Amino acid sequence: MKKLSLLLSGLLSLFISFSQVTVTGNSESISTPVNAPAIIVDNSLSISSALTFSAARVSVSVNFYSGDLLSYTASLPSGITAIYNSGVLSFSGNGSASDYQTLFRSVTFSTSSTNAAQRTITFELGNGTIKYNSTNDHYYLPVSASYSWTAAKTEAESVSRKFFGLQGYLATVTSSQESTFVNALSNRGWLGGSDDYTYINAATGTTTYANQSLSEGKWFWVTGPERGTQFSNGSTALTWANWNTGEPNNSNSIEHYVENAYVTDGRWNDANNSNNNGFIIEYGGMAGDPVVDIFHSRNIRLIATSVQVTDANLVYSLTAPAVTVDNNFIIYSSGNVTNAKVTISTGFLSGDQLSYTGSLPGGVTASYSSSTGVLSFTGTATTSQWQTLLRTVTFYSSSTTIGNRTVTFSVGNLVAGNNGHFYEYVTPAVSWTTAQTNAAARTYLGLQGYLATITDATENTFIQQKLSADGWIGASDDFSYINSAIGVTTYANQSASEGKWYWVTGPEKGTQITTGNAANGSSYPPAFGTTYNNWNIGEPNNYYDGSQYENYAEIYSAGTNPGRWNDNRNSTIKGYVVEYGGLATDPLLQLSDSRIMSVSTVLPIWDLKFTVAKRNGVAVLNWSTAAESNTSLFEILRSSDGSHFTKIGEKGAAGNSMLTSYYSFEDAAPLAGTNFYKLKSVDIDGKATFSKVWRLQFDHTRLTFWPNPAREQLMISNMFSQKNKITIKNAVGAVVLRQTAFATYTTLHISHINKGIYYAHVISEDGNESIMKFIKE
C-alpha cells in the first residue's frame, strides 16, 4: 500500500476538496556497495496532480547513519531551494507536479558509513507535519494549540483542515498499535470519544438518550468512521479501550470527553470540556474520501564489500604476450580487507600463468601456484590499495590447447562453503556457553557470527576439514537455550527437554534435530523428521561425571570418527566453529567476480622479438621467432600517425618450425618525420596477429659540408638536432677525430690530420645518421 506523504500545514487551507494526488514508483529493492558512487534512487517515480506544491522531502526514513548522503542532479526550478541535513533532503518553494517529479527522479543516495543495514528512502510531498500509519492507512496531524474539546472537534472537522479532500476528525483510537502510534505524536490531546448524550445522539442519528443521566458512562466514538460506536460501559471495554486505572470517573460530574492523557503508555482520562488541550486530527476511512497517494518508499540494500570486474570477456590468443586481466577492476568496502586471490577457476591448464606488475602494499605478500592456477595475496590493505594492485594482474599461457579460462577475483581471509557461508575455527578453548557468546560477538565483513549449525553432509565435511581440534557447534538440549531459541516456554525444565536437541544459534535457531538421546552405545538417536544428524554412534548419551550432565554439542576433528558429533559438558573447554551468513540482518556481500578469457586461437608464433633501427637514412627492421606453427607470411606495416597503417612489404614465414628463425627488411624511403612500424603475422588459415609498434624519426634535411677539399677547417651545417656525435674516419675505417656538437652548425679543426680521403659520420640523439666524403689537402 502506498504511503501518504506530508504537506505543509500552511497549504491545507488552499487544497480543494477531493483533489487527487498520486505518487507512484518502483517498489523493488535496489543494491549499491558501501563507498560506491551515488546511485539514482528511483528514476521512474511519477507524480500525478494538477496542484501546486510548496514543499517536498526525501529522507532516509529507516536506518539513517552518519555518512549517508542524499543529493540531486537536476537543476532546481526557479523559486525552489534545497537543503540536506541528517538524512533529510528538503525542497522548499512553489512548484508543479512536473517540477517535483523531475527533482525526485534525480535524487541520489550514497554512503561512507561502515554500517551496511538496509536503508529505506521515502519521497514525500510536503514538510513532514502529517504522519502516516501504514497499519490502518490513516494519517494524523498533532495540533499543539490549546482548545476545549468542543472547539477541537469543530476545528478538526472544518474545511480549512481538509487534507487533499480527506475529511479531518478528532482521532478515534481502536487498537493498541494505533494507540502507540498516536501517543508518539503528542504528549496530551483530545480524542473523539464522549458520553455526552447530545453528541451520542447526533453520532447515532437517533434520540438514544433523553438526558445525561441516561448516557453517563456509555462511552461512544462520536467522530470519524467509528462515529456512533460504543466502545465501553464505564471502564468495561466493549470493543477496544485504553482507560487509565480508575478512569473514567466523571469527577465533579462534568467529565464527558476523552483525552490521551498519559505520556508513558497513552492511557485515557475523561476530562472537563473546559480543559485546554491540544488535539489530534485523523484522516482516512470517511465515506466519500478520495484516493490520496503522495508518499513513496524504496529500499536500498547495501553491499558491505563488493568486487566487480568491468566486462565479462577478454579475447586472448595462446602464447601471446601477457595481457592485463582487468585494468578497471573495482572493489568497494566499508573497511580494510584481509587477503585476496585471483584464480583460474575453470579451464585451467598447465602453462597458464597469473602474475602482477604492480607494487605490493606494505605487509602484503604474494605467491602463485602453477599446479592450481591460484595467485594468492596475503595481508591486510585498504580497498584502494587492493584495487590498484589487482588491476595489474596479468594472464599468459604457453599452452596450445584452445579453451576458455575463467579468471576469478575474490577477497577475504575465510573460505566459503557451497552454501555461500564462511567458517572459522576459533581458539583459545572455552566452555560452550562462552563460545556461544563469543561467536555472536564476532563479525566478518559485516556478517554476524554464530556457533555453526550443520544442515547437510557437504557442510559437515567442509567444517570438519577446517578443524585443528574438536570444536563446539550450536546445538543443545538445554531447556533454557531451547526456550530462548524458539521464543516461547516450550519446556518447563531440563527433564522435559532432555534428549530433544535443537539448533539454538544462527538462521536455524529453534529447529529441532532429535527427539531423544541414543538408546545405547550401539545406536543412533532418533532424528526429528528429516533433519540432518551426524551423531557418533551411542551419542548423545547425557553422560554424568558426578557434577554435570552433557547438554552441548561438539564436532570431532580427527581420530576414528572425524566429523561426527558428541554431547559434552559445559565445563569442558575447547575451540569452537563460527559460521557467518544466512541471518536476516546480514548485509549483502559480493566477495568475488569473474572474467572469461575467451581463447579460440593459438598465436602461430612463439617469442617474437622485433626491433627497428636507422642506418644511413634507411629504416632497418629485424625480427626473430623461437618457433612457428602454420605461419604463412609477415606483412610489414608503416604509419605516419600510429593509427592508420599501410603495407610496405612482406616476407615469407618459416611455416612450421621449432628452430629460431631470423628475418630482416629495409624501408629505403621512410617518411619525413615520424614513422611507425609493426608486423602482421598471417597463418595459413588467414588468421593474423600483430607485433608491438616501433617509432622512428627521420629528418631528410641534407647536411652541408664545406670547403671540400679542406685544409684547416671543415664546416658542417643543417645537422639533425641540438646534440650530434661527429666521427671522422680515414679510408680504411680508422677513427682520426671525434667531437660532439651542441648546435646545428659547427666547425671541425682538421689541420693536424694527414692528406687523404676521409668520411664524416654525423649521428643525432634519436639515431638519424648521415655520412659525407671529403678530401683533406
Side-chain angles (χ1 to χ4, degrees):
M1 179 179 293
K2 299 297 181 186
K3 296 183 178 179
L4 178 67
S5 181
L6 315 172
L7 288 181
L8 287 173
S9 58
L11 287 175
L12 294 177
S13 62
L14 301 178
F15 294 158
I16 302 172
S17 179
F18 300 100
S19 297
Q20 193 167 9
V21 182
T22 304
V23 179
T24 58
N26 194 329
S27 59
E28 293 183 1
S29 297
I30 55 175
S31 301
T32 186
V34 172
N35 285 324
I39 61 168
I40 297 288
V41 178
D42 191 348
N43 61 7
S44 64
L45 185 145
S46 176
I47 302 175
S48 176
S49 179
L51 296 176
T52 296
F53 306 96
S54 68
R57 306 193 326 159
V58 186
S59 62
V60 184
S61 56
V62 177
N63 289 332
F64 168 74
Y65 292 93
S66 177
D68 291 354
L69 177 63
L70 293 172
S71 188
Y72 58 96
T73 59
S75 298
L76 289 172
S78 177
I80 295 180
T81 60
I83 187 171
Y84 177 74
N85 184 41
S86 300
V88 179
L89 175 61
S90 301
F91 299 103
S92 299
N94 289 333
S96 65
S98 177
D99 290 333
Y100 277 105
Q101 175 179 285
T102 300
L103 283 175
F104 277 2
R105 285 183 175 184
S106 77
V107 169
T108 63
F109 171 82
S110 63
T111 186
S112 59
S113 170
T114 58
N115 192 302
Q118 177 175 284
R119 311 297 203 263
T120 298
I121 309 300
T122 298
F123 296 85
E124 311 177 46
L125 288 172
N127 67 352
T129 56
I130 296 180
K131 305 300 182 183
Y132 172 74
N133 184 354
S134 62
T135 301
N136 61 4
D137 200 26
H138 289 195
Y139 320 97
Y140 302 79
L141 174 66
V143 179
S144 59
S146 295
Y147 286 79
S148 67
W149 183 90
T150 54
K153 178 179 182 297
T154 299
E155 178 68 14
E157 296 171 355
S158 68
V159 173
S160 66
R161 290 292 187 176
K162 282 193 173 184
F163 180 63
F164 285 117
L166 296 176
Q167 176 63 56
Y169 52 90
L170 277 185
T172 58
V173 180
T174 60
S175 69
S176 60
Q177 187 281 333
E178 187 177 15
S179 178
T180 300
F181 182 90
V182 167
N183 192 54
L185 300 180
S186 176
N187 290 341
R188 188 183 184 99
W190 292 118
L191 299 178
S194 176
D195 70 347
D196 184 314
Y197 79 100
T198 59
Y199 284 102
I200 295 173
N201 289 341
T204 59
T206 62
T207 306
T208 304
Y209 301 107
N211 53 54
Q212 186 59 39
S213 64
L214 295 175
S215 68
E216 184 59 45
K218 316 296 195 296
W219 288 88
F220 284 72
W221 294 117
V222 296
T223 63
E226 292 79 19
R227 177 185 172 101
T229 301
Q230 187 176 357
F231 59 84
S232 75
N233 188 2
S235 61
T236 302
L238 301 179
T239 57
W240 187 87
N242 197 33
W243 295 108
N244 193 34
T245 302
E247 304 293 347
N249 60 7
N250 194 26
S251 178
N252 296 318
S253 300
I254 56 174
E255 294 184 331
H256 303 304
Y257 310 99
V258 178
E259 64 175 353
N260 183 52
Y262 298 92
V263 177
T264 55
D265 56 9
R267 289 192 175 272
W268 304 342
N269 174 54
D270 58 336
N272 185 350
N273 184 54
S274 63
N275 284 7
N276 286 323
N277 281 332
F279 60 97
I280 299 163
I281 304 176
E282 184 174 355
Y283 301 91
M286 296 290 286
D289 276 350
V291 176
V292 176
D293 180 4
I294 58 173
F295 194 139
H296 170 61
S297 295
R298 193 173 195 187
N299 292 329
I300 298 181
R301 303 183 68 192
L302 291 178
I303 307 173
T305 299
S306 176
V307 170
Q308 300 175 9
V309 299
T310 55
D311 199 1
N313 298 314
L314 178 65
V315 176
Y316 176 76
S317 294
L318 294 174
T319 75
V323 294
T324 301
V325 178
D326 191 345
N327 57 14
N328 292 309
F329 171 84
I330 297 172
I331 176 173
Y332 299 112
S333 186
S334 58
N336 292 343
V337 173
T338 300
N339 295 1
K341 288 183 180 180
V342 186
T343 306
I344 304 173
S345 53
T346 61
F348 171 71
L349 293 169
S350 178
D352 293 351
Q353 181 176 332
L354 295 172
S355 188
Y356 62 97
T357 59
S359 299
L360 292 172
V364 174
T365 60
S367 63
Y368 178 71
S369 171
S370 60
S371 61
T372 61
V374 178
L375 175 61
S376 300
F377 298 98
T378 304
T380 301
T382 66
T383 54
S384 176
Q385 289 173 319
W386 283 121
Q387 178 172 283
T388 299
L389 175 61
L390 295 177
R391 284 181 175 183
T392 72
V393 170
T394 61
F395 173 83
Y396 164 79
S397 181
S398 61
S399 170
T400 58
T401 302
I402 290 173
N404 292 349
R405 276 66 156 173
T406 301
V407 178
T408 299
F409 294 81
S410 62
V411 297
N413 60 344
L414 300 184
V415 179
N418 69 325
N419 57 1
H421 293 193
F422 300 86
Y423 304 82
E424 65 176 333
Y425 178 72
V426 179
T427 55
V430 294
S431 67
W432 184 93
T433 53
T434 300
Q436 190 262 355
T437 300
N438 290 353
R442 297 178 74 88
T443 60
Y444 175 64
L445 297 176
L447 300 175
Q448 178 69 50
Y450 52 90
L451 274 186
T453 59
I454 306 174
T455 59
D456 58 49
T458 301
E459 184 180 16
N460 197 83
T461 300
F462 184 87
I463 289 174
Q464 184 271 324
Q465 291 172 346
K466 294 185 67 65
L467 298 174
S468 57
D470 298 348
W472 294 119
I473 54 178
S476 175
D477 70 347
D478 183 313
F479 78 102
S480 61
Y481 281 99
I482 294 173
N483 290 340
S484 176
I486 296 173
V488 296
T489 304
T490 303
Y491 301 105
N493 50 50
Q494 186 58 40
S495 63
S497 69
E498 183 57 45
K500 299 175 179 64
W501 287 82
Y502 285 72
W503 293 117
V504 296
T505 61
E508 291 76 26
K509 183 176 181 178
T511 300
Q512 189 172 355
I513 54 179
T514 71
T515 58
N517 291 323
N520 51 59
S522 60
S523 65
Y524 293 103
F528 180 82
T530 60
T531 55
Y532 176 74
N533 283 260
N534 199 41
W535 294 100
N536 195 28
I537 192 167
E539 305 291 347
N541 61 7
N542 196 30
Y543 176 76
Y544 182 62
D545 70 344
S547 62
Q548 283 188 333
Y549 286 99
E550 298 181 326
N551 301 120
Y552 311 98
E554 65 175 327
I555 182 172
Y556 290 145
S557 64
T560 58
N561 298 295
R564 289 285 185 176
W565 307 345
N566 174 53
D567 59 335
N568 212 326
R569 294 174 294 279
N570 190 52
S571 59
T572 305
I573 60 171
K574 56 182 69 264
Y576 52 99
V577 183
V578 182
E579 183 174 355
Y580 305 90
L583 295 176
T585 55
D586 282 343
L588 296 178
L589 290 176
Q590 183 181 328
L591 300 183
S592 66
D593 202 6
S594 300
R595 192 170 197 188
I596 295 175
M597 308 300 296
S598 184
V599 180
S600 60
T601 61
V602 181
L603 193 69
I605 296 170
W606 282 261
D607 195 21
L608 173 66
K609 296 179 180 178
F610 173 46
T611 61
V612 178
K614 290 186 289 186
R615 186 179 306 133
N616 296 330
V618 173
V620 179
L621 290 71
N622 290 292
W623 67 96
S624 65
T625 62
E628 297 179 30
S629 174
N630 297 322
T631 53
S632 175
L633 56 87
F634 292 94
E635 293 183 0
I636 296 89
L637 307 179
R638 184 182 67 191
S639 170
S640 61
D641 59 8
S643 298
H644 304 88
F645 284 84
T646 302
K647 176 182 174 181
I648 61 171
E650 67 177 49
K651 285 279 187 178
N656 292 290
S657 173
M658 297 305 294
L659 301 175
T660 301
S661 300
Y662 297 93
Y663 304 87
S664 65
F665 178 86
E666 290 188 358
D667 181 9
L671 303 171
T674 304
N675 290 255
F676 297 90
Y677 295 96
K678 69 178 179 180
L679 297 176
K680 176 182 179 182
S681 59
V682 183
D683 65 20
I684 60 175
D685 296 324
K687 296 178 181 178
T689 56
F690 296 88
S691 71
K692 67 179 181 179
V693 177
W694 278 87
R695 176 180 179 274
L696 288 181
Q697 188 76 22
F698 284 91
D699 188 342
H700 293 311
T701 302
R702 182 177 296 278
L703 274 66
T704 303
F705 294 75
W706 80 93
N708 190 7
R711 292 184 179 180
E712 302 293 330
Q713 296 177 330
L714 177 67
M715 276 69 77
I716 306 175
S717 65
N718 297 329
M719 284 185 288
F720 301 111
S721 62
Q722 291 298 309
K723 183 178 180 181
N724 303 273
K725 292 182 179 180
I726 303 172
T727 303
I728 305 297
K729 297 181 181 180
N730 60 22
V732 296
V735 177
V736 299
L737 177 67
R738 282 193 176 93
Q739 183 173 326
T740 300
F742 292 92
T744 59
Y745 172 87
T746 193
T747 300
L748 302 179
H749 298 279
I750 59 173
S751 59
H752 64 287
I753 66 176
N754 298 326
K755 295 179 181 180
I757 297 174
Y758 293 87
Y759 297 88
H761 296 251
V762 180
I763 304 175
S764 68
E765 283 185 290
D766 59 0
N768 284 299
E769 181 178 10
S770 185
I771 303 173
M772 181 68 181
K773 178 181 177 181
F774 71 94
I775 298 173
K776 168 61 168 60
E777 292 182 336

